[in-house]
Amino acid sequence: MKIRFLIKWILLLSLLFGCGGGTTTGNPYRVTINFKAYNSVTSWSPWDLFIDKANAGINNLTFCFKRVRFKLVDGATVNPDSSEDNIDFDIGEITILSGGTTLGDINVPEGTYKRVEFDLEKDCSSNKSVTLSNDNGNFSTDNRVTIKFSGTLVINETTTINLDIQPIINAMDSFNGSSDLDDVLEDINGTL
């Protein structure tokens, strides 16, 4: 008798409290995050026969990923260290490939987002958050860097997110060390 009573209470409590745990934006969906293919150095024109291009070319670009944030259209921007929308995405060092780069899978709550942000930190074997090699030289930073992708992203099913990194690549093509690498990366946005 006591066991039946106890089982009923456990079932009742699990029904009352077990269905929570969701977010205010809806149930999470499993999504794959990719960077789209990109072109290094601007396209060729006939003037290239007479005038050198101002852009260099990327030989290698590596990011050390720590976390990702999905910013809702109606959500406020908060301190990235204490934000409840931070999702650990500690996938380590990833070389960004011109043919496209798969970053990994993550659970993302249903909703409409205006921005996706990645925090890059020096928690990788290189002890660098970003490493760049282009025709102007070799550059790196061990500062935390936040790269952003803006636009509109609707998550309402399991899907693949393909982020356009071309604007960031364009800035890295011509980077020559005359300003801080982390400042340049944080001042430019990719697109959703």
Side-chain angles (χ1 to χ4, degrees):
M1 182 85 165
K2 288 182 183 180
I3 292 175
R4 289 176 111 188
F5 180 75
L6 183 60
I7 291 173
K8 286 180 183 178
W9 274 104
I10 290 172
L11 288 173
L12 179 62
L13 291 173
S14 66
L15 286 174
L16 291 174
F17 299 107
C19 294
T23 64
T24 58
T25 56
N27 294 322
Y29 290 97
R30 191 80 173 159
V31 298
T32 300
I33 302 175
N34 297 320
F35 286 153
K36 291 181 182 179
Y38 68 82
N39 294 313
S40 185
V41 181
T42 57
S43 60
W44 186 85
S45 82
W47 288 106
D48 294 340
L49 296 172
F50 306 104
I51 302 171
D52 285 337
K53 286 190 175 288
N55 288 347
I58 292 177
N59 301 317
N60 186 49
L61 178 61
T62 304
F63 293 153
C64 180
F65 291 88
K66 180 65 175 180
R67 71 185 61 85
V68 63
R69 278 181 300 286
F70 289 81
K71 296 294 187 177
L72 289 165
V73 167
D74 58 356
T77 302
V78 293
N79 180 343
D81 288 330
S82 63
S83 176
E84 66 186 34
D85 53 0
N86 280 341
I87 301 171
D88 285 338
F89 197 54
D90 195 1
I91 58 174
E93 273 182 324
I94 302 288
T95 298
I96 310 307
L97 304 172
S98 62
T101 305
T102 298
L103 300 179
D105 296 337
I106 196 166
N107 289 324
V108 179
E110 182 176 357
T112 302
Y113 298 91
K114 64 180 177 182
R115 191 170 60 246
V116 176
E117 300 176 353
F118 294 94
D119 285 341
L120 311 175
E121 295 196 11
K122 65 178 182 174
D123 298 338
C124 295
S125 60
S126 68
N127 209 26
K128 303 291 181 191
S129 53
V130 178
T131 305
L132 167 68
S133 173
N134 67 15
D135 292 346
N136 290 324
N138 298 316
F139 310 96
S140 64
T141 183
D142 58 1
N143 295 331
R144 182 175 75 198
V145 176
T146 301
I147 57 172
K148 298 173 259 333
F149 296 82
S150 299
T152 301
L153 173 66
V154 177
I155 301 292
N156 58 10
E157 63 183 327
T158 297
T159 188
T160 299
I161 301 170
N162 293 305
L163 302 172
D164 185 3
I165 195 168
Q166 189 67 54
I168 295 170
I169 295 301
N170 293 345
M172 294 297 93
D173 270 342
S174 59
F175 185 80
N176 61 13
S178 63
S179 47
D180 290 334
L181 181 60
D182 42 324
D183 289 340
V184 172
L185 282 167
E186 290 191 346
D187 286 345
I188 190 83
N189 284 350
T191 55
L192 296 174

